Amino acid sequence: MPTVYVNDKPVEIGTARLNCVQAAGLADTFVPHYCYHEALSVVASCRMCLVEVGERKPDGTVVMQPKVLPGCQTPVKDGTVVVTGDYAKRDQTQAALAYPADYVKGGQPGDRAKRAQADTLEGLLLNHPLDCPVCDKAGECKLQDYSYDYGRSESRMVDEKNQPPNKPGLSSKITLFTDRCIMCTRCVRFTREISGTAELMVNGRGHHEEIDTFPGRPLENKLAGNVVDLCPVGALGSKDFLYKQRVWYLKTVDQVCSRCSTGCSTHVDSNKDIVYRLRARENPLAQGHFMCDEGRYGYHFANSAERFVRPQVKRDGRFQPAPWAQVTPQLKQELSAAVQANARGVVAVLSPYLTVEEAFLLGSYFKGLSADVRLTLGPVPVVGEDDRYPKDVRGNAVEPTKFVIRAEKCPNRRGVEAVLTHLQGAVIPFADVAREALDALWFAGGYPEPGYAEAGIPSDWKAPALLVAQDLFPSLVTAAAKYVLPGTSSFEKEGTFVNHAGLAQSFGRAARPPVEARTELQLGYDLLGRRGLAQAAVVRAEVAGAVSWLAPLGGEVPANGVKLGD
Ligand code: SF4
Ligand code: SF4
Ligand code: FES
């Protein structure tokens, strides 16, 4: 088996084609890097990843290269020896390799790499403005982190720093602090290789190099926000987030984007129950490394002042607030009466924005009233067509596809369908029953745009006398309702979504629901007469035991999710 030695530790690399940075990762050794990114081409321009490289011969002797090499651009093969600047911190239980005498004469293994890294950082910091106190990236900046771990504490720079002007017009959503840029070109490569839109370029040469856009072509593609995540320093700033929070105040929870059926894995950053930022979470089973701007900036609805925040009951044509303690028993009693009178006339609409667990509890409650109550799948919003990247200069998608923004704008159609199939043997779209004269209708919404649900409702729709609307925002359904229950956004829930490809991802709660809003999971619990606080993991285990397709959700769900069968 091909073996590589990283700081004397042997690691088997199998058939993988790796560079020194990746091989070091396999050996649990971190090689700092700026310009290298797994999803982008290698340019080896920043020189932060310099390592000492050699070869171990079959007889055990080691031959080392005379100069340090960029680890990101140096492939490894059987017998490659990699010595990093952290060699002194190596695993002492590993026997040291037989390094040649002329190599150790000039310093201990790792000394050259360590010196080179410190020099690289000194060079990068020559013109860097060091405005960490006001920089959005402070606290998660690779220049800060690496300077602390690998740099020198003093600068020998005596000249004036180069201060090129900032470029707030780079895009409507992104600004460039030109003087903070370390010219790693990750952002440029992203627009050429992933979005394919190629708005960014390097203008000038040497000391005068600057990131810029082509005249009249601002950075406006639908994946553009990723360049802010990619920028290892604070040069590219998101206008949406700029100066709103210091990152150390933020609480980060791993979640799943709910704005389309791609189901991108995300980090949700919030403080005091307000969501401030979404970032892509790398997941090879879902979307890879990136996310789109629709999802990234599509969280503001959760912070909206227009949301329903407490239950309301219509009396004499006017909505009046009512406490849950009164509403829940009243609802149960009215629904039971309606089912006893005519179970076929009672319909529950389960939204494709509900989690698997919520759909299961709500569906179980209604089927528990009578097997004749019908469960339907709420309107599934579809906007345009799937949008594939990268694109060519004419805007046509080119193979191989690296990212897809899906036309289906909900996160969990497949999960809700699985629950519906289990509970009643078939998936009935709401449109199939919408024109019937119903006695009672429970409409679980949760659509981030009220228009999404309204588009699935016939224009001649007549609301039944007992209409319970559970939603985030006013819509034509909530306007016709007798009861309006506040819904919760995906940020305020815990649960599981199943994406277009059958990937089930479970996630935790990033923020608490506003005021008196109660999660749909808790409401399901309350309707079923269960006591205590609803926990998604408990319900998930129950679902896994009942629905065979969802059985893999029975144990601990891995962070990247589990792929369900077809
Ligand atoms: S703006 Fe950021 S990502 Fe782009 S080249 Fe400069 S440092 Fe790199
Ligand atoms: S592609 Fe879809 S799931 Fe991914 S970030 Fe965009 S809207 Fe969200
Ligand atoms: S990460 Fe290797 S040279 Fe930049």
mmCIF file of all heavy atoms in Angstrom, residues 161-170 175-181 208-212 235:
data_model
loop_
_atom_site.group_PDB
_atom_site.id
_atom_site.type_symbol
_atom_site.label_atom_id
_atom_site.label_comp_id
_atom_site.label_asym_id
_atom_site.label_seq_id
_atom_site.Cartn_x
_atom_site.Cartn_y
_atom_site.Cartn_z
ATOM 1 N N LYS A 161 2.501 52.213 4.114
ATOM 2 C CA LYS A 161 1.765 51.082 3.539
ATOM 3 C C LYS A 161 1.052 51.519 2.262
ATOM 4 O O LYS A 161 0.615 52.668 2.151
ATOM 5 C CB LYS A 161 0.727 50.562 4.536
ATOM 6 C CG LYS A 161 1.373 49.829 5.703
ATOM 7 C CD LYS A 161 0.345 49.097 6.528
ATOM 8 C CE LYS A 161 1.032 48.464 7.729
ATOM 9 N NZ LYS A 161 0.793 47.075 7.885
ATOM 10 N N ASN A 162 0.934 50.561 1.351
ATOM 11 C CA ASN A 162 0.163 50.796 0.130
ATOM 12 C C ASN A 162 -1.321 50.828 0.511
ATOM 13 O O ASN A 162 -1.805 49.911 1.162
ATOM 14 C CB ASN A 162 0.460 49.629 -0.831
ATOM 15 C CG ASN A 162 -0.135 49.844 -2.197
ATOM 16 O OD1 ASN A 162 -0.441 50.974 -2.565
ATOM 17 N ND2 ASN A 162 -0.300 48.774 -2.945
ATOM 18 N N GLN A 163 -2.018 51.868 0.141
ATOM 19 C CA GLN A 163 -3.425 51.965 0.548
ATOM 20 C C GLN A 163 -4.344 52.164 -0.651
ATOM 21 O O GLN A 163 -4.876 53.254 -0.871
ATOM 22 C CB GLN A 163 -3.615 53.125 1.511
ATOM 23 C CG GLN A 163 -3.018 52.855 2.887
ATOM 24 C CD GLN A 163 -3.281 53.994 3.831
ATOM 25 O OE1 GLN A 163 -3.064 55.152 3.488
ATOM 26 N NE2 GLN A 163 -3.756 53.684 5.011
ATOM 27 N N PRO A 164 -4.551 51.128 -1.453
ATOM 28 C CA PRO A 164 -5.455 51.284 -2.601
ATOM 29 C C PRO A 164 -6.883 51.524 -2.115
ATOM 30 O O PRO A 164 -7.249 51.051 -1.033
ATOM 31 C CB PRO A 164 -5.342 49.936 -3.323
ATOM 32 C CG PRO A 164 -4.879 48.982 -2.278
ATOM 33 C CD PRO A 164 -4.065 49.764 -1.299
ATOM 34 N N PRO A 165 -7.682 52.254 -2.882
ATOM 35 C CA PRO A 165 -9.043 52.573 -2.415
ATOM 36 C C PRO A 165 -9.937 51.332 -2.373
ATOM 37 O O PRO A 165 -9.760 50.404 -3.159
ATOM 38 C CB PRO A 165 -9.558 53.571 -3.470
ATOM 39 C CG PRO A 165 -8.685 53.379 -4.658
ATOM 40 C CD PRO A 165 -7.376 52.847 -4.181
ATOM 41 N N ASN A 166 -10.887 51.338 -1.430
ATOM 42 C CA ASN A 166 -11.857 50.240 -1.349
ATOM 43 C C ASN A 166 -12.804 50.290 -2.541
ATOM 44 O O ASN A 166 -12.922 51.312 -3.217
ATOM 45 C CB ASN A 166 -12.650 50.338 -0.038
ATOM 46 C CG ASN A 166 -11.742 50.121 1.150
ATOM 47 O OD1 ASN A 166 -10.717 49.452 1.026
ATOM 48 N ND2 ASN A 166 -12.096 50.681 2.291
ATOM 49 N N LYS A 167 -13.502 49.156 -2.753
ATOM 50 C CA LYS A 167 -14.407 49.091 -3.916
ATOM 51 C C LYS A 167 -15.800 48.656 -3.472
ATOM 52 O O LYS A 167 -16.201 47.503 -3.656
ATOM 53 C CB LYS A 167 -13.846 48.115 -4.942
ATOM 54 C CG LYS A 167 -12.552 48.632 -5.555
ATOM 55 C CD LYS A 167 -11.907 47.641 -6.458
ATOM 56 C CE LYS A 167 -10.564 48.221 -6.918
ATOM 57 N NZ LYS A 167 -9.617 47.216 -7.343
ATOM 58 N N PRO A 168 -16.558 49.589 -2.877
ATOM 59 C CA PRO A 168 -17.902 49.214 -2.422
ATOM 60 C C PRO A 168 -18.841 48.881 -3.576
ATOM 61 O O PRO A 168 -19.879 48.260 -3.366
ATOM 62 C CB PRO A 168 -18.389 50.454 -1.659
ATOM 63 C CG PRO A 168 -17.498 51.565 -2.100
ATOM 64 C CD PRO A 168 -16.221 50.979 -2.556
ATOM 65 N N GLY A 169 -18.486 49.264 -4.778
ATOM 66 C CA GLY A 169 -19.352 49.007 -5.930
ATOM 67 C C GLY A 169 -19.086 47.674 -6.603
ATOM 68 O O GLY A 169 -19.611 47.406 -7.685
ATOM 69 N N LEU A 170 -18.288 46.814 -5.954
ATOM 70 C CA LEU A 170 -17.964 45.523 -6.575
ATOM 71 C C LEU A 170 -19.230 44.754 -6.929
ATOM 72 O O LEU A 170 -19.318 44.096 -7.962
ATOM 73 C CB LEU A 170 -17.122 44.708 -5.590
ATOM 74 C CG LEU A 170 -16.365 43.534 -6.141
ATOM 75 C CD1 LEU A 170 -15.096 43.991 -6.846
ATOM 76 C CD2 LEU A 170 -15.987 42.567 -5.004
ATOM 77 N N THR A 175 -18.719 44.020 -0.770
ATOM 78 C CA THR A 175 -17.795 45.141 -0.885
ATOM 79 C C THR A 175 -16.361 44.618 -0.795
ATOM 80 O O THR A 175 -16.122 43.567 -0.196
ATOM 81 C CB THR A 175 -18.089 46.177 0.225
ATOM 82 O OG1 THR A 175 -17.224 47.288 0.054
ATOM 83 C CG2 THR A 175 -17.873 45.608 1.612
ATOM 84 N N LEU A 176 -15.427 45.324 -1.401
ATOM 85 C CA LEU A 176 -14.018 44.898 -1.356
ATOM 86 C C LEU A 176 -13.189 45.930 -0.598
ATOM 87 O O LEU A 176 -13.145 47.103 -0.987
ATOM 88 C CB LEU A 176 -13.459 44.727 -2.774
ATOM 89 C CG LEU A 176 -11.963 44.404 -2.857
ATOM 90 C CD1 LEU A 176 -11.649 43.039 -2.263
ATOM 91 C CD2 LEU A 176 -11.471 44.452 -4.301
ATOM 92 N N PHE A 177 -12.575 45.482 0.493
ATOM 93 C CA PHE A 177 -11.589 46.306 1.194
ATOM 94 C C PHE A 177 -10.248 45.956 0.551
ATOM 95 O O PHE A 177 -9.574 45.017 0.970
ATOM 96 C CB PHE A 177 -11.604 45.994 2.693
ATOM 97 C CG PHE A 177 -12.927 46.303 3.342
ATOM 98 C CD1 PHE A 177 -13.904 45.330 3.475
ATOM 99 C CD2 PHE A 177 -13.194 47.587 3.798
ATOM 100 C CE1 PHE A 177 -15.123 45.632 4.067
ATOM 101 C CE2 PHE A 177 -14.415 47.891 4.386
ATOM 102 C CZ PHE A 177 -15.386 46.912 4.522
ATOM 103 N N THR A 178 -9.908 46.708 -0.453
ATOM 104 C CA THR A 178 -8.800 46.332 -1.325
ATOM 105 C C THR A 178 -7.492 46.143 -0.575
ATOM 106 O O THR A 178 -6.714 45.234 -0.874
ATOM 107 C CB THR A 178 -8.618 47.410 -2.416
ATOM 108 O OG1 THR A 178 -9.912 47.819 -2.862
ATOM 109 C CG2 THR A 178 -7.839 46.881 -3.604
ATOM 110 N N ASP A 179 -7.243 46.987 0.430
ATOM 111 C CA ASP A 179 -5.944 46.905 1.106
ATOM 112 C C ASP A 179 -5.816 45.685 2.023
ATOM 113 O O ASP A 179 -4.718 45.340 2.439
ATOM 114 C CB ASP A 179 -5.644 48.202 1.879
ATOM 115 C CG ASP A 179 -6.775 48.644 2.793
ATOM 116 O OD1 ASP A 179 -7.818 47.956 2.813
ATOM 117 O OD2 ASP A 179 -6.614 49.673 3.475
ATOM 118 N N ARG A 180 -6.929 45.027 2.332
ATOM 119 C CA ARG A 180 -6.818 43.828 3.165
ATOM 120 C C ARG A 180 -6.523 42.583 2.328
ATOM 121 O O ARG A 180 -6.243 41.508 2.859
ATOM 122 C CB ARG A 180 -8.125 43.569 3.920
ATOM 123 C CG ARG A 180 -8.459 44.613 4.944
ATOM 124 C CD ARG A 180 -9.792 44.245 5.620
ATOM 125 N NE ARG A 180 -10.322 45.358 6.372
ATOM 126 C CZ ARG A 180 -11.606 45.481 6.708
ATOM 127 N NH1 ARG A 180 -12.479 44.566 6.340
ATOM 128 N NH2 ARG A 180 -12.002 46.525 7.404
ATOM 129 N N CYS A 181 -6.638 42.693 1.025
ATOM 130 C CA CYS A 181 -6.545 41.520 0.140
ATOM 131 C C CYS A 181 -5.117 40.975 0.111
ATOM 132 O O CYS A 181 -4.153 41.723 0.040
ATOM 133 C CB CYS A 181 -6.987 41.935 -1.255
ATOM 134 S SG CYS A 181 -6.769 40.657 -2.486
ATOM 135 N N HIS A 208 1.188 46.290 -7.415
ATOM 136 C CA HIS A 208 -0.035 47.041 -7.761
ATOM 137 C C HIS A 208 -1.216 46.145 -8.089
ATOM 138 O O HIS A 208 -2.250 46.627 -8.552
ATOM 139 C CB HIS A 208 0.253 47.971 -8.947
ATOM 140 C CG HIS A 208 1.287 49.004 -8.633
ATOM 141 N ND1 HIS A 208 1.041 50.060 -7.803
ATOM 142 C CD2 HIS A 208 2.589 49.092 -8.994
ATOM 143 C CE1 HIS A 208 2.137 50.786 -7.677
ATOM 144 N NE2 HIS A 208 3.100 50.209 -8.388
ATOM 145 N N GLU A 209 -1.075 44.840 -7.881
ATOM 146 C CA GLU A 209 -2.175 43.923 -8.185
ATOM 147 C C GLU A 209 -3.401 44.240 -7.334
ATOM 148 O O GLU A 209 -3.269 44.465 -6.124
ATOM 149 C CB GLU A 209 -1.759 42.479 -7.865
ATOM 150 C CG GLU A 209 -0.998 41.794 -8.968
ATOM 151 C CD GLU A 209 -0.733 40.333 -8.635
ATOM 152 O OE1 GLU A 209 -0.854 39.965 -7.450
ATOM 153 O OE2 GLU A 209 -0.410 39.580 -9.542
ATOM 154 N N GLU A 210 -4.563 44.222 -7.962
ATOM 155 C CA GLU A 210 -5.814 44.423 -7.232
ATOM 156 C C GLU A 210 -6.886 43.530 -7.816
ATOM 157 O O GLU A 210 -6.897 43.280 -9.021
ATOM 158 C CB GLU A 210 -6.308 45.875 -7.371
ATOM 159 C CG GLU A 210 -5.561 46.851 -6.516
ATOM 160 C CD GLU A 210 -6.044 48.272 -6.749
ATOM 161 O OE1 GLU A 210 -7.209 48.462 -7.155
ATOM 162 O OE2 GLU A 210 -5.235 49.194 -6.535
ATOM 163 N N ILE A 211 -7.786 43.074 -6.953
ATOM 164 C CA ILE A 211 -8.966 42.359 -7.443
ATOM 165 C C ILE A 211 -9.929 43.395 -7.978
ATOM 166 O O ILE A 211 -10.137 44.451 -7.362
ATOM 167 C CB ILE A 211 -9.628 41.557 -6.291
ATOM 168 C CG1 ILE A 211 -8.680 40.478 -5.785
ATOM 169 C CG2 ILE A 211 -10.963 40.958 -6.734
ATOM 170 C CD1 ILE A 211 -8.288 39.428 -6.792
ATOM 171 N N ASP A 212 -10.534 43.118 -9.105
ATOM 172 C CA ASP A 212 -11.466 44.081 -9.692
ATOM 173 C C ASP A 212 -12.497 43.349 -10.531
ATOM 174 O O ASP A 212 -12.349 42.155 -10.797
ATOM 175 C CB ASP A 212 -10.696 45.094 -10.556
ATOM 176 C CG ASP A 212 -11.328 46.472 -10.485
ATOM 177 O OD1 ASP A 212 -12.538 46.540 -10.199
ATOM 178 O OD2 ASP A 212 -10.613 47.465 -10.714
ATOM 179 N N ALA A 235 -11.088 40.849 3.254
ATOM 180 C CA ALA A 235 -11.103 41.738 2.088
ATOM 181 C C ALA A 235 -12.489 41.816 1.457
ATOM 182 O O ALA A 235 -12.950 42.891 1.089
ATOM 183 C CB ALA A 235 -10.082 41.259 1.061
#
